[in-house]
Amino acid sequence: MAAALQAGLPELGERMALRIRADVAAYQDESLIPLDSLRRSCEANAALILTHVRLGGTPDASSAHETGRLRAEQGVPLADTLHAYRIGSELLWTEILAEARRHPEVTDDLLVSQSTMFWSLSGLFAEAVAVAYRETAAELTSRGQARRSALVEALFTGIITDRTLWEAARELGLPEHGPYAVAVAGTGALGEEPLAGAEAALRQAHLPSVWRLLPDEQLALIALPTETAERTCLRVLRDARARVGFSPAFRSLRDTPRALRFARLALAGLEGTAPGVARFDDNPLAMVVAAAPAEAAHLAEVVLRPVLDLPAGERTRLLRTLEHWFAATGSAAATARNLFVHPNTVRYRLRRVEELTGRSLSDPRALADMGAALLAVRGPGAGASRE
């Protein structure tokens, strides 16, 4: 019986392929699975089973393994792949029963025993299909993740050509044109994701993003396709309860490395230790000071040296008053309210600063120098030992 069926394998493989194509939607795309390829696969798998029925021995699952590998590469869902395999097995068993009717010497008991062996073998081969599919799918996923990671790294470091920018955007699911923004979050521990859940929240808000986890930072490149996108993005980042620096918006992916630098500066300028989001554009002067710490320290020494040399108590009072006065846009009354002192006390302290530094707070150039120097002294990590 098996030999007779093997002789008609080309025609049997054709019928199997047509049945599968008719019953399984995933197999109906000729560009994905050509009918001739499907026919050859059906014929090869049927040949393996019939050969084992005839000769016995150790089952050869090579064709089943190849079927699983090929369908994974083609992107056919595993459930559809196994469904197609069951259809082929059922059609083959139907052909065996039809052939048995032509042979009176084939008893019912023999058919029952062969049925047990046939379906056990079919299950074994279906398992080989599934194993090969999962192995191949895992390998493809690993390859895809590695390539995706390399593309993200290339964008953040700038080692990508203009010619491949659109290819990177397409593969990473980003729009080809901005605006975009970069966010940087500091990690509390090695490998920690301070913005865990933010990617899913951005995706739900229809804001595509790509991510990179470094030992001490988590980086995100985020598309901002609508007028309200930045506001939504900032809300998501604040909800993550991390310390985040946020770059200005930019139009071309080739500017990603510069935006990353701006985001890092914004993070460095974030005051205190509590969670929060610092936008570079909110205080660009502070960002410039943070970008050049050595030069900023020298500026502070040049402008504020006489104040910095005072005893700790007086130094702190004057610097704090000056800081609140800048924050109050030069209003002595508002500064006094914030410090719980009389406005005349504020004016006295400001005159004291002018006398010590030799710079008038009514001179725009001196005022700019004083503001930058104060940022250098009062910024993250600066001047702490003096206070």
Side-chain angles (χ1 to χ4, degrees):
M1 289 163 49
L5 290 173
Q6 280 185 311
L9 267 179
E11 187 271 338
L12 179 57
E14 179 83 11
R15 285 194 289 118
M16 283 182 175
L18 291 173
R19 174 72 64 81
I20 290 170
R21 174 158 286 190
D23 292 354
V24 186
Y27 282 72
Q28 294 170 5
D29 186 347
E30 176 69 20
S31 64
L32 181 63
I33 307 176
L35 182 60
D36 188 57
S37 172
L38 179 56
R39 179 193 58 76
R40 288 196 303 270
S41 177
C42 290
E43 188 175 334
N45 281 288
L48 280 178
I49 293 179
L50 292 173
T51 297
H52 186 76
V53 168
R54 287 180 59 202
L55 305 177
T58 302
D60 177 8
S62 58
S63 287
H65 190 279
E66 176 64 15
T67 296
R69 183 195 66 78
L70 183 60
R71 298 297 174 255
E73 290 179 346
Q74 292 168 331
V76 179
L78 178 57
D80 288 344
T81 300
L82 294 176
H83 185 200
Y85 203 85
R86 283 193 297 272
I87 290 173
S89 296
E90 289 168 0
L91 183 56
L92 179 57
W93 180 245
T94 299
E95 291 297 316
I96 289 175
L97 292 178
E99 184 65 24
R101 296 191 189 97
R102 302 186 185 97
H103 300 271
E105 68 275 18
V106 178
T107 64
D108 290 345
D109 289 343
L110 179 58
L111 275 177
V112 169
S113 67
Q114 289 298 307
S115 171
T116 301
M117 183 274 292
F118 176 89
W119 289 110
S120 175
L121 188 64
S122 179
L124 179 67
F125 285 178
E127 183 178 350
V129 169
V131 169
Y133 184 103
R134 292 189 180 101
E135 289 176 350
T136 304
E139 181 181 347
L140 291 172
T141 298
S142 178
R143 276 192 225 153
Q145 289 174 341
R147 175 165 174 77
R148 184 179 177 86
S149 178
L151 286 173
V152 173
E153 178 70 10
L155 286 175
F156 279 123
T157 57
I159 51 173
I160 192 167
T161 65
D162 288 351
R163 185 176 61 84
T164 55
L165 278 174
W166 70 271
E167 295 177 355
R170 183 187 60 190
E171 290 196 39
L172 294 172
L174 295 172
E176 293 182 25
H177 305 287
Y180 315 94
V182 169
V184 176
T187 60
L190 185 66
E192 178 185 76
E193 291 189 45
L195 295 175
E199 182 177 7
L202 290 172
R203 188 185 309 115
Q204 188 174 8
H206 306 292
L207 300 181
S209 61
V210 294
W211 298 73
R212 181 84 168 134
L213 183 62
L214 301 178
D216 58 344
E217 293 176 327
Q218 188 173 16
L219 317 180
L221 170 59
I222 306 162
L224 305 173
T226 66
E227 291 184 1
T228 61
E230 181 172 321
R231 186 163 61 249
T232 301
C233 179
L234 291 171
R235 176 182 55 76
V236 169
L237 294 175
R238 291 189 184 100
D239 288 345
R241 305 295 298 162
R243 291 178 61 81
V244 184
F246 195 77
S247 79
F250 58 101
R251 289 283 172 181
S252 173
L253 286 173
R254 72 171 64 89
D255 295 328
T256 303
R258 184 175 65 173
L260 174 59
R261 174 169 168 74
F262 288 154
R264 281 173 168 157
L265 289 173
L267 177 60
L270 184 60
E271 296 181 359
T273 59
V277 178
R279 295 173 70 249
F280 183 94
D281 287 348
D282 287 343
N283 195 345
L285 179 58
M287 300 302 103
V288 171
V289 169
E295 291 79 0
H298 180 69
L299 172 65
E301 292 291 322
V302 169
V303 175
L304 290 174
R305 162 59 68 185
V307 176
L308 299 176
D309 284 342
L310 291 171
E314 186 178 3
R315 179 180 69 237
T316 299
R317 282 192 298 274
L318 293 184
L319 289 176
R320 189 160 178 259
T321 300
L322 192 60
E323 183 178 23
H324 278 269
W325 183 75
F326 270 99
T329 63
S331 169
T335 303
R337 285 194 298 272
N338 291 333
L339 294 175
F340 302 101
V341 298
H342 194 277
N344 286 338
T345 301
V346 172
R347 296 185 184 99
Y348 168 78
R349 292 176 183 176
L350 294 176
R351 284 196 300 271
R352 177 77 170 136
V353 170
E354 290 179 320
E355 292 168 359
L356 288 167
T357 62
R359 297 169 188 268
S360 171
L361 293 176
S362 60
D363 180 350
R365 288 186 299 179
L367 190 63
D369 291 343
M370 195 79 73
L374 185 64
L375 284 170
V377 170
R378 308 293 281 184
S385 61
R386 291 183 174 270
E387 303 235 357

